[in-house]
């Protein structure tokens, strides 16, 4: 799978298809968390959330892991274009399924529109491995798509998701063909949902997950 083909078009496509809705979801809780010291960003793509975090937390250090070299290049260029310090950011070109963080390193994990790329077993693996790299009181910011429980909103979401998965599977060879909510995996790894905000008829959600300081790390 690779987002390389899509990388140069990702920004305008998002603008045409979703306007500013996704960016609002990405940035919803940025100012609702304690200042992080070490931030892990998963599949950050072209860096739109990264620049907002750099502005909000200039003392933090960032690690961005992405499997697309062209997405990482876009993110780096975006930082430079906005006059922010690229020295604060380590860009890692890697498949998240093969990458592991050092233990208890990150006090903030950010995964926006990322876990929806994977199948259930892969999400299990990603969340449990990365949770080992989180501190005992880490925050996890997560914006993604979701399917409302009933009504017109549910059918609208189903249609949008079907079209989206069809498109992304053709262009990027995405492994997932349907949405798997990561909530049970986050709960099993010691994170509690502090707040969820829904947008666009319940098609989008922004979450703030918080890890309990009492957790025995490594326990699932
Ligand atoms: C749908 S895009 C989301 C980008 C961005 N986070 C956003 O909010 O729009 C998914 C991103 O995850 C990256 N990605 C997909 N699979 C990956 C993997 N196995 N390992 C690391 N990054 C991956 C892609 O290269 C892409 O940048």
């Amino acid at each position: 799978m690779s987002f390389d083909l899509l990388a140069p078009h990702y920004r305008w496509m998002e603008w045409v298809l979703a306007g500013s809705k996704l960016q609002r979801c990405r940035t919803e809780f940025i100012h609702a968390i304690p200042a992080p010291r070490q931030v892990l960003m998963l599949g950050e793509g072209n860096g739109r959330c990264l620049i907002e975090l750099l502005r909000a937390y200039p003392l933090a250090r960032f690690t961005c892991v992405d499997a697309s070299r062209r997405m990482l290049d876009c993110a780096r260029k975006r930082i430079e274009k906005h006059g922010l310090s690229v020295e604060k950011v380590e860009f890692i070109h890697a498949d998240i399924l093969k990458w592991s963080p050092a233990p208890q390193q990150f006090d903030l994990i950010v995964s926006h529109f990322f876990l929806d790329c994977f199948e259930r077993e892969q999400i299990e693996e990603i969340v449990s491995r990365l949770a080992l790299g989180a501190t005992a009181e880490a925050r996890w910011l997560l914006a993604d798509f979701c399917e409302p429980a009933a009504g017109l909103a549910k059918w609208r979401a189903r249609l949008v998701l079907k079209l989206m998965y069809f498109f992304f599977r053709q262009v990027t060879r995405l492994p997932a063909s349907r949405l798997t909510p990561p909530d049970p995996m986050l709960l099993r790894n010691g994170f509690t949902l502090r707040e969820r905000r829904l947008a666009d008829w319940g098609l989008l959600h922004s979450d703030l997950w918080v890890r309990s300081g009492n957790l025995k790390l490594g326990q699932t």
Side-chain angles (χ1 to χ4, degrees), residues 102-209:
Q104 298 178 46
Q105 189 186 355
F106 298 102
D107 51 359
L108 177 63
I109 297 179
V110 180
S111 62
H112 292 329
F113 303 99
F114 173 70
L115 292 175
D116 60 356
C117 297
F118 300 96
E119 292 180 314
R120 181 177 304 277
E121 303 74 42
Q122 295 175 315
I123 301 175
E124 295 271 5
E125 194 190 322
I126 293 167
V127 172
S128 57
R129 195 147 29 83
L130 296 181
L132 295 175
T135 61
E137 293 180 341
R139 268 58 177 168
W140 191 315
L141 297 181
L142 187 160
D144 222 318
F145 296 93
C146 57
E147 194 180 300
L152 188 57
K154 177 188 173 82
W155 294 105
R156 174 182 179 265
R158 280 207 165 171
L159 179 64
V160 172
L161 290 168
K162 226 180 182 38
L163 292 171
M164 231 179 54
Y165 275 103
F166 177 76
F167 171 78
F168 278 102
R169 279 171 66 83
Q170 299 300 315
V171 179
T172 69
R173 305 273 158 222
L174 203 69
S177 54
R178 63 170 63 174
L179 195 62
T180 303
D183 302 19
M185 295 73 155
L186 285 160
L187 288 167
R188 271 200 291 281
N189 284 281
F191 288 86
T192 306
L193 183 59
R194 171 74 56 86
E195 195 173 343
R196 167 166 292 166
R197 294 189 193 149
L198 297 174
D200 197 22
W201 290 40
L203 175 65
L204 300 169
H205 69 103
S206 297
D207 291 0
L208 167 56
W209 291 81

Side-chain angles (χ1 to χ4, degrees), residues 1-3 10 14 22 26 42-46 65-68 71 94-97 111-114 116-118 168 174:
M1 179 197 37
S2 174
F3 274 70
Y10 197 81
E14 178 180 325
L22 305 191
R26 292 182 190 109
L42 309 174
E44 165 55 11
N46 61 14
V65 184
D66 202 298
S68 161
M71 280 291 200
D95 179 351
I96 204 67
L97 294 163
S111 62
H112 292 329
F113 303 99
F114 173 70
D116 60 356
C117 297
F118 300 96
F168 278 102
L174 203 69

Side-chain angles (χ1 to χ4, degrees), residues 28-124:
E28 189 78 50
F29 292 111
I30 280 185
H31 298 285
I33 53 172
R37 288 185 306 276
Q38 293 281 352
V39 184
L40 173 62
M41 304 195 72
L42 309 174
E44 165 55 11
N46 61 14
R48 291 188 70 213
C49 182
L50 173 62
I51 59 165
E52 298 309 327
L53 280 165
L54 274 165
R55 281 193 184 117
Y57 300 111
L59 300 180
R61 299 205 69 83
F62 295 81
T63 302
C64 291
V65 184
D66 202 298
S68 161
R69 200 178 284 285
R70 291 183 86 181
M71 280 291 200
L72 290 170
D73 287 346
C74 289
R76 195 179 287 110
K77 282 187 193 134
R78 189 177 300 280
I79 295 175
E80 286 164 356
K81 189 176 135 197
H82 285 81
L84 296 161
S85 169
V86 95
E87 263 102 77
K88 297 265 169 198
V89 187
E90 183 185 7
F91 292 100
I92 299 180
H93 179 226
D95 179 351
I96 204 67
L97 294 163
K98 297 180 184 149
W99 184 85
S100 295
Q104 298 178 46
Q105 189 186 355
F106 298 102
D107 51 359
L108 177 63
I109 297 179
V110 180
S111 62
H112 292 329
F113 303 99
F114 173 70
L115 292 175
D116 60 356
C117 297
F118 300 96
E119 292 180 314
R120 181 177 304 277
E121 303 74 42
Q122 295 175 315
I123 301 175
E124 295 271 5

